[in-house]
């Protein structure tokens, strides 16, 4: 089904417009009935199913007849439309072609409902994610149907609202307009990737390698938040900073298919990574992964799974989904909430990122109202993510009880000056820089750092490292990150003196 032609809006006639209203109405009705189905089932059980059976008998045949008639009328109207006929002829030529350049040029010329397009790239089965990576609880087999219903009907709309039909339908026009802007004005390539579990992932690649900017040789893979799409999300942030970028939509978002369970998310980012390294020609050393909000999960997973990736940036994200999920659910559902999350949405970012040996930057929104348990900086779950990484990498420093007291006080501060003033004595930056510069850049842990040091020296090193890993941004959760704040993570060798 054609939505728009690049540089020219597709002109639907009045019959097509009326038929599209019928199809949209049917989709909305199915969505409403789906979300009301538990209440309908309960009411039918208590009072009998007869009223619902009568409604079904009365409406089913007319509804199906109207739907079929709309399909026939729209098909006839499009057959008479020369623009659509031209599109169909070109579509079938490109759709069945093995010439990647021809397929790419067609996607540059037309924008249409993507589920009709065959996959441009199919992920290798060898790159499937491992359940053992994150699975800490498995729902007993006999209870899985119940928990699956809870996960898809209740948990998914709460955790990933962008995968629901209402939000997709409301934003459809805005997403189409933004995608057309990219296709018209920039050197981008749209592609459909098929994951090992059969999901189709809609991607957009911005190629800046042809510019004079050295940054363009580095690819930033962006992962959006739970209501974000590459068309209107963080995909453009690295572009403005001079990098090449590869954006993708979560399963169920936009034209991506599937359900954004944890395993589907991992398989999706694996497919994106494989596409970047095999089709687009980037190496691990030239790839940065960037995740905003819930996009921190695929970002931390792929960094952990491919430890040679250059660096990872996690923006406005959290350590674990459980501390955020429990306060939003009734207390009597706490046990079910934990079991459902651990089986279907086990987004344990700190566990994954702690196993990544490369440079990391944590961006914390000082006024974040979404991932904070008390809407203050000290309640931001990004603190726990940062703390887990620092403790894993520098256990002798950040495992010290006295150091931990200072770290907890630093969480409540939003600026480096107030943190610096809390450090006892004169901060010896030369000592800190020289000590850290001697360490390798890529290693999971540095237990030797801090051995034999005084408590004051440990506190000074803790402040130095804390400040290098954390970037504070004084806005709320949903504010876009300005390109000037998009910085490559610090590494130990950056502290070495320059000649």
């Amino acid at each position: 089904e054609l939505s728009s032609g690049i540089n020219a809006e597709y002109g639907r006639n009045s019959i097509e417009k009326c038929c599209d209203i019928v199809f949209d109405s049917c989709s909305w009705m199915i969505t409403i009935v789906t979300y009301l189905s538990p209440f309908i089932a309960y009411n039918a059980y208590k009072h009998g199913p007869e009223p619902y059976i009568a409604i079904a008998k009365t409406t089913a045949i007319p509804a199906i007849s109207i739907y079929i008639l709309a399909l026939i009328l729209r098909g006839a109207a499009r057959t008479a439309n020369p623009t659509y006929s031209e599109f169909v002829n070109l579509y079938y030529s490109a759709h069945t072609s093995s010439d990647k350049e021809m397929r790419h040029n067609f996607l540059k010329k037309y924008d249409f409902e993507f589920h009709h397009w065959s996959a441009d790239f199919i992920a290798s089965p060898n790159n499937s994610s491992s359940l053992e990576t994150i699975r800490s609880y498995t729902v007993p087999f006999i209870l899985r149907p119940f928990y699956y219903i809870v996960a898809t009907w209740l948990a998914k709309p709460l955790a990933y609202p962008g995968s629901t039909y209402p939000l997709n339908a409301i934003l459809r026009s805005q997403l189409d307009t933004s995608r057309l802007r990219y296709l018209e004005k920039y050197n981008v390539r749209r592609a459909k990737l098929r994951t090992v579990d059969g999901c189709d992932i809609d991607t957009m690649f911005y190629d800046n390698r042809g510019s004079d900017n050295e940054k363009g040789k580095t690819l930033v893979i962006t992962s959006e938040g739970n209501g974000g799409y590459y068309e209107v999300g963080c995909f453009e942030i690295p572009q403005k900073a001079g990098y090449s970028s590869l954006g993708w939509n979560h399963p169920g978002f936009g034209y991506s298919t599937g359900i954004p369970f944890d395993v589907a998310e991992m398989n999706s980012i694996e497919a994106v990574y494989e596409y970047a390294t095999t089709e687009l020609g980037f190496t691990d050393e030239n790839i940065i992964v960037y995740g905003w909000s819930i996009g921190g999960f695929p970002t931390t997973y792929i960094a952990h799974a491919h430890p040679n990736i250059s660096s990872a940036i996690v923006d406005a994200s959290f350590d674990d989904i459980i501390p955020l999920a429990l306060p939003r659910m009734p207390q009597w559902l706490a046990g079910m909430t934990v079991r459902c999350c651990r089986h279907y949405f086990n987004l344990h970012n700190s566990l994954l990122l702690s196993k990544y040996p490369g440079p990391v930057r944590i961006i914390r929104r000082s006024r974040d109202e979404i991932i904070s348990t008390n809407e203050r900086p000290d309640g931001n779950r990004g603190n726990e993510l940062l703390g887990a990484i620092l403790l894993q990498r520098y256990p002798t420093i950040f495992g010290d009880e006295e150091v931990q007291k200072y770290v907890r006080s630093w969480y409540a501060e939003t600026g480096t000056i107030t943190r610096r003033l809390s450090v006892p004595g004169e901060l010896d930056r030369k000592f800190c820089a020289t000590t850290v510069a001697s360490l390798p850049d890529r290693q999971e842990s540095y237990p030797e750092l801090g051995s034999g040091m005084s408590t004051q020296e440990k506190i000074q090193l803790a402040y130095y490292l804390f400040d290098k890993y954390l970037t504070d941004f004084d806005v709320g959760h949903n504010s876009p990150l300005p390109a000037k704040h998009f910085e490559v993570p610090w590494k130990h060798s950056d502290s070495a003196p320059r000649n």
Side-chain angles (χ1 to χ4, degrees), residues 171-241:
L171 295 178
R172 182 189 302 165
S173 177
Q174 183 182 356
L175 298 181
D176 289 345
T177 300
S178 297
R179 190 169 54 253
L180 287 172
R181 178 174 60 87
Y182 280 122
L183 292 168
E184 289 176 350
K185 295 184 178 181
Y186 301 103
N187 182 26
V188 297
R189 179 185 294 266
R190 190 184 185 195
K192 176 189 283 190
L193 316 185
R194 182 152 298 156
T195 68
V196 293
D197 50 2
C199 294
D200 289 331
I201 303 301
D202 187 5
T203 68
M204 184 75 80
F205 168 55
Y206 172 76
D207 193 352
N208 199 30
R209 286 175 290 189
S211 69
D212 295 332
N213 192 340
E214 190 68 21
K215 291 180 180 179
K217 298 177 181 178
T218 297
L219 175 70
V220 180
I221 298 177
T222 60
S223 297
E224 303 291 345
N226 65 356
Y229 306 77
Y230 74 71
E231 293 94 337
V232 292
C234 60
F235 169 60
E236 71 174 3
I237 294 173
Q239 300 170 29
K240 293 180 178 179

Side-chain angles (χ1 to χ4, degrees), residues 148-307:
Y148 181 82
I149 293 172
V150 171
T152 53
W153 178 76
L154 179 61
K156 185 192 76 169
L158 292 175
Y160 289 93
S163 66
T164 61
Y165 176 80
L167 192 57
N168 276 304
I170 291 169
L171 295 178
R172 182 189 302 165
S173 177
Q174 183 182 356
L175 298 181
D176 289 345
T177 300
S178 297
R179 190 169 54 253
L180 287 172
R181 178 174 60 87
Y182 280 122
L183 292 168
E184 289 176 350
K185 295 184 178 181
Y186 301 103
N187 182 26
V188 297
R189 179 185 294 266
R190 190 184 185 195
K192 176 189 283 190
L193 316 185
R194 182 152 298 156
T195 68
V196 293
D197 50 2
C199 294
D200 289 331
I201 303 301
D202 187 5
T203 68
M204 184 75 80
F205 168 55
Y206 172 76
D207 193 352
N208 199 30
R209 286 175 290 189
S211 69
D212 295 332
N213 192 340
E214 190 68 21
K215 291 180 180 179
K217 298 177 181 178
T218 297
L219 175 70
V220 180
I221 298 177
T222 60
S223 297
E224 303 291 345
N226 65 356
Y229 306 77
Y230 74 71
E231 293 94 337
V232 292
C234 60
F235 169 60
E236 71 174 3
I237 294 173
Q239 300 170 29
K240 293 180 178 179
Y243 297 91
S244 297
S245 63
L246 176 59
W248 61 286
N249 282 335
H250 298 283
F253 284 55
Y255 288 114
S256 291
T257 64
I259 301 175
F261 292 150
D262 48 20
V263 176
E265 285 280 286
M266 293 190 297
N267 286 332
S268 298
I269 192 64
E270 282 283 8
V272 172
Y273 166 81
E274 186 184 356
Y275 174 68
T277 53
T278 59
E279 291 290 312
L280 302 181
F282 289 91
T283 62
D284 283 1
E285 294 73 21
N286 292 322
I287 293 177
I288 298 172
V289 287
Y290 168 73
W292 173 65
S293 190
I294 213 166
F297 173 67
T299 295
T300 56
Y301 167 76
I302 202 66
H304 136 274
H306 299 276

Side-chain angles (χ1 to χ4, degrees), residues 405-441:
K405 293 179 183 178
Y406 280 89
V407 171
R408 284 193 290 271
S409 70
W410 295 339
Y411 287 152
E413 304 296 342
T414 59
T416 57
I417 295 177
T418 49
R419 294 191 194 109
R420 164 64 191 90
L421 292 174
S422 71
V423 177
E426 183 70 24
L427 179 63
D428 190 343
R429 290 189 176 275
K430 184 176 180 180
F431 159 74
C432 294
T434 304
T435 304
V436 169
S438 64
L439 300 173
D441 281 332

